[in-house]
Amino acid sequence: MASRRPDSFDGYGFRSDQYGAGYPARSSGPASGVSGELQQHQWVTSPPDIPGSRNLHPGERTPLYEEAEPGSRWEAPHGAGVPPEQLNRFAGFGIGLVSLFTENVLAHPCIVFRRQCQVNYHGRCYHLSPFSAVGVMYAITKAQGPKALWKGMGSTFIVHGIALGAEGVISEFTPLPRELPHSWSWKQLAGHLLLKGLTAVVALPFYCASLIETVQSEIVRDESSSGLLDCVREGLTRLLGVGAPHSRRLLPLSYLLLPVAAHAILRYAVAASVQRAVLWLHQRGGKRRPVPSDPLDAYFPELAAAWAGSLAADVLLFPLETALHRLGLQGTRTIIDATDGAEVAGSGGSPLVLPVNTQYDGLADCLHAIRRKEGAAGFYRGFGALLAQYSLHGALLAAARTLLRIVLLDAKAC
């Protein structure tokens, strides 16, 4: 049987109608009846033309090239840029993480020194300025090591976790709302504030144990017997009244319930009110400006408003916090670091540590005694450490905003 394959077939010149529509059949020989036969029979079932494949003749273009503009050059499609939603999430997560890390980790030395100043009624220097506070903090770190101002950080996290868990459990089994709706009633507001007060009451014994860990000097601390869960153990011990006996000056927790609940409610109310006021002022001024050009403008105002609210609440309630810390520490036989510069340096035989021996009968007696013996400035011992804490927080927020803005601009330019 004779082969139907033409003699002039080279395997490259034929394009079938199935794959090469618009490409005429071509043969290496002169036009003859063989070309008509090639047009009637599909001899080659090769795949469509692919750029760079060997199915192309020299100088021949694929339909991809023919559809392009004359003189244009084919290029691989560029990768799509980062989606705007992903940039927004990255910006919000980044600046939120910086704020959380600064508030709970980097600012912890300022919290430790502030509490030590509040309970140190012996101190001659009140540290109302952040400059004097930072100087003594550096002297304490130099004399006792870096751990001197980072103590009690683990117990602080535990207390935060206990407070969050208690708030969730109470709101789950009671009608007290954990979050206020957009249009709230006075009954819902009262229940919400009551929930904040009850949460502080539940966490009170553990907060007192954490307070002891943060102010007690590293010189007298026993590292072999200390652990991460000591805060929980000491809190339960004080709550149940078991364990090693304390001094007779130790106040029962019932004396602290109402002051602690009032402090928690007032702090939350002041912070939330200032935060809402700052956001309202920002939104009112934002109506005169165009749409934000970068995602940070949608996240940074909320963090800045929360920073301003916390600062206002801590400043206004600083005297009450001082009294509560002294009452919570009374009778626990705690020894603290000296907060005066000369005593920290150890000059003139001055001690590096001091005992806390107070004899307050309650909140009213504590406030009256501070006013009578230390003056009005006695309520603001360690106020400079508070200013240093919020200055550090605000500076790092501004730096993070600038850095993330540069990163986002580079990402958009790519």
Side-chain angles (χ1 to χ4, degrees), residues 38 135 180 300:
L38 289 175
L180 284 178
F300 187 78

Side-chain angles (χ1 to χ4, degrees), residues 2 16 45 47 49 87 95 146 198 261 279 282 344 371 378:
S16 66
T45 58
D49 296 336
L87 289 177
I95 198 169
L198 292 177
L279 286 177
H282 174 76
V344 172
R371 173 69 178 178

Side-chain angles (χ1 to χ4, degrees), residues 177-199:
R178 191 173 186 179
E179 298 290 342
L180 284 178
H182 182 69
S183 56
W184 46 268
S185 62
W186 290 106
K187 182 179 179 180
Q188 292 175 330
L189 177 61
H192 183 62
L193 294 178
L194 179 60
L195 175 63
K196 298 298 181 181
L198 292 177
T199 300

Side-chain angles (χ1 to χ4, degrees), residues 65-304:
Y65 279 104
E66 293 178 351
E67 293 174 2
E69 298 179 0
S72 62
R73 183 179 180 183
W74 184 85
E75 296 180 357
H78 296 284
V82 182
E85 295 80 6
Q86 187 173 352
L87 289 177
N88 294 347
R89 288 195 298 267
F90 170 76
F93 175 78
I95 198 169
L97 182 63
V98 169
S99 178
L100 188 65
F101 181 77
T102 305
E103 182 179 0
N104 295 281
V105 179
L106 293 183
H108 188 75
C110 299
I111 297 175
V112 170
F113 186 73
R114 183 183 83 200
R115 293 179 176 180
Q116 286 183 331
C117 292
Q118 287 176 322
V119 299
N120 184 13
Y121 58 92
H122 304 282
R124 296 184 300 270
C125 182
Y126 290 3
H127 297 293
L128 303 179
S129 168
F131 303 103
S132 64
V134 172
V136 177
M137 289 168 61
Y138 173 75
I140 292 176
T141 305
K142 186 178 179 181
Q144 302 182 20
K147 294 178 60 178
L149 293 179
W150 295 92
K151 53 194 173 187
M153 187 168 60
S155 63
T156 304
F157 290 147
I158 292 177
V159 172
H160 286 329
I162 292 175
L164 291 176
E167 183 178 0
V169 171
I170 295 175
S171 63
E172 185 71 22
F173 292 96
T174 62
L176 303 179
R178 191 173 186 179
E179 298 290 342
L180 284 178
H182 182 69
S183 56
W184 46 268
S185 62
W186 290 106
K187 182 179 179 180
Q188 292 175 330
L189 177 61
H192 183 62
L193 294 178
L194 179 60
L195 175 63
K196 298 298 181 181
L198 292 177
T199 300
V201 168
V202 172
L204 174 60
F206 309 101
Y207 181 84
C208 292
S210 175
L211 176 64
I212 296 175
E213 289 189 14
T214 54
V215 300
Q216 185 164 345
S217 176
E218 281 289 319
I219 298 178
V220 298
R221 185 184 299 271
D222 187 6
E223 295 292 342
S224 60
S225 61
S226 61
L228 183 61
L229 298 179
D230 285 349
C231 169
V232 179
R233 178 173 56 84
E234 293 295 333
L236 293 176
T237 298
R238 185 163 183 178
L239 177 64
L240 301 177
V242 297
H246 293 279
S247 171
R248 293 182 179 180
R249 296 188 301 271
L250 180 67
L251 289 177
L253 290 179
S254 59
Y255 282 60
L256 301 177
L257 294 182
L258 288 180
V260 166
H263 177 268
I265 293 174
L266 289 175
R267 189 186 187 282
Y268 175 79
V270 172
S273 301
V274 173
Q275 181 178 357
R276 287 178 178 270
V278 172
L279 286 177
W280 178 78
L281 291 176
H282 174 76
Q283 293 173 358
R284 184 179 179 183
K287 294 179 180 179
R288 305 172 185 175
R289 295 191 297 265
V291 181
S293 57
D294 58 87
L296 292 177
D297 292 338
Y299 296 98
F300 187 78
E302 296 184 2
L303 293 176

Side-chain angles (χ1 to χ4, degrees), residues 2 5 25 42 53 59 85 147 171 183 253 301 308 320 325 376 383 385 413:
R5 178 175 177 176
Q42 299 178 0
S53 66
E85 295 80 6
K147 294 178 60 178
S171 63
S183 56
L253 290 179
L320 180 58
H325 285 170
F383 188 74

Side-chain angles (χ1 to χ4, degrees), residues 359-370 372:
Q359 297 181 1
Y360 304 122
D361 295 330
L363 178 63
D365 182 55
C366 179
L367 295 175
H368 180 69
I370 294 175
R372 185 182 68 254

